[in-house]
Amino acid sequence: MSLSDTLPLQPPPARRLPHLGTALLLGLGLFAALAPILATVDPARQDYGAILAAPSAAHPLGTDHLGRDMLARLGSALRLSLGLALLSVVTAAIPGTLLGILAAWRGGWTDRGLSTLADMVLALPGLLLVLLVSAVVPGSFLAIYGSISLVLWIEYFRITRASARAILASPAVEASRLLGFRPAYIVWRHLWPELAPVLLTVGAFGAATAIMAVAALGFVSVGLRPPTAELGLMMTELLPYYAEAPFVLVQPILAVFLLVLALNLVAGYRPR
């Protein structure tokens, strides 16, 4: 009997389009990496002779209202969003997962104390917490990154704690304990194979949440400051020119849409 057969929780059905999500994510990452090679100009360099210019050989994706090259700015904004999302997810995943395993393993006061701490953080809506921190320290990358990580670790903790409690109570883990195997063996042999697909799903959704949060902060002008190339900030700056240059405005919107779509398609993937 496998460990999965002993668990009361049934895994969610696998998504059917993980490869499309992975391909989209790799394509966006490749575009962000190659943008400095394809567009040699600085993303903040202004050219008042080419304001809201249509796509051309000099500017393949056109220019914005200050004559800045959209290819360079879009690549810089994608690198910023992807980097911040990856950093926030990793920073939240490590303590959240370890604390979730600790709470499930020790139980008692340790479990109650950590669960109370998580409930206290959850008492304030996540986006509101990020918004408050960003308003107190406007334009700070560290403040945005820290507040997003502070919100994201809760999901890792709660899901890891719930899953680990069921796994640790299974006959397979009890047998390993009776045979004298060390905790590191139990974590590696029993916990990690069951937790990894769940954590991958949480990580993909967490990255999408981080990207949406940064874009939302930029859109309401409490996130990163100009002339930083950030997708939400670019939308706000280009919105007054939607009639003159709709092609330019749609680029950051499409980038956010494709990023979130790719991460949602990747979420829930379980290798067979």
Side-chain angles (χ1 to χ4, degrees):
M1 178 180 292
S2 66
L3 180 59
S4 300
D5 295 331
T6 68
L7 296 177
L9 298 176
Q10 294 296 323
R15 300 293 181 92
R16 295 182 178 179
L17 298 173
H19 301 302
L20 176 59
T22 304
L24 269 176
L25 206 54
L26 288 176
L28 290 168
L30 192 62
F31 172 80
L34 294 180
I37 301 174
L38 300 174
T40 55
V41 297
D42 189 280
R45 181 177 178 274
Q46 301 179 9
D47 181 1
Y48 291 106
I51 291 176
L52 296 176
S56 63
H59 305 289
L61 295 181
T63 61
D64 68 1
H65 60 296
L66 295 176
R68 296 173 295 193
D69 186 79
M70 283 300 294
L71 176 59
R73 291 186 64 76
L74 205 58
S76 178
L78 281 172
R79 289 195 298 276
L80 174 66
S81 295
L82 287 171
L84 181 64
L86 179 63
L87 196 60
S88 301
V89 166
V90 171
T91 304
I94 293 175
T97 303
L98 293 178
L99 291 176
I101 294 175
L102 178 65
W105 196 294
R106 298 296 298 273
W109 285 103
T110 303
D111 185 19
R112 285 193 288 273
L114 291 172
S115 297
T116 302
L117 175 63
D119 291 339
M120 290 171 62
V121 177
L122 276 179
L124 198 61
L127 186 56
L128 180 59
L129 177 62
V130 176
L131 187 61
L132 286 174
V133 173
S134 301
V136 172
V137 192
S140 171
F141 178 88
L142 288 178
I144 296 174
Y145 151 69
S147 57
I148 291 176
S149 300
L150 183 63
V151 170
L152 290 181
W153 79 271
I154 302 295
E155 291 301 320
Y156 288 97
F157 169 75
R158 298 182 71 183
I159 291 177
T160 301
R161 172 180 171 271
S163 301
R165 288 180 68 177
I167 297 169
L168 292 173
S170 66
V173 173
E174 186 64 26
S176 294
R177 284 173 167 162
L178 291 175
L179 291 172
F181 288 110
R182 295 179 178 276
Y185 174 86
I186 294 174
V187 171
W188 180 252
R189 180 67 179 84
H190 298 292
L191 285 178
W192 181 248
E194 298 296 329
L195 291 177
V198 181
L199 294 179
L200 175 64
T201 298
V202 178
F205 281 127
T209 300
I211 289 170
M212 289 295 293
V214 175
L217 292 174
F219 191 76
V220 297
S221 302
V222 295
L224 298 174
R225 299 295 188 187
T228 304
E230 190 279 315
L231 295 173
L233 186 59
M234 291 169 68
M235 293 180 208
T236 301
E237 292 178 336
L238 294 170
L239 194 58
Y241 309 97
Y242 70 92
E244 295 91 333
F247 176 73
V248 177
L249 172 61
V250 80
Q251 292 176 36
I253 299 174
L254 186 62
V256 172
F257 170 74
L258 291 178
L259 275 175
V260 176
L261 175 64
L263 290 167
N264 285 336
L265 290 177
V266 170
Y269 173 64
R270 292 176 66 91
R272 298 180 183 276

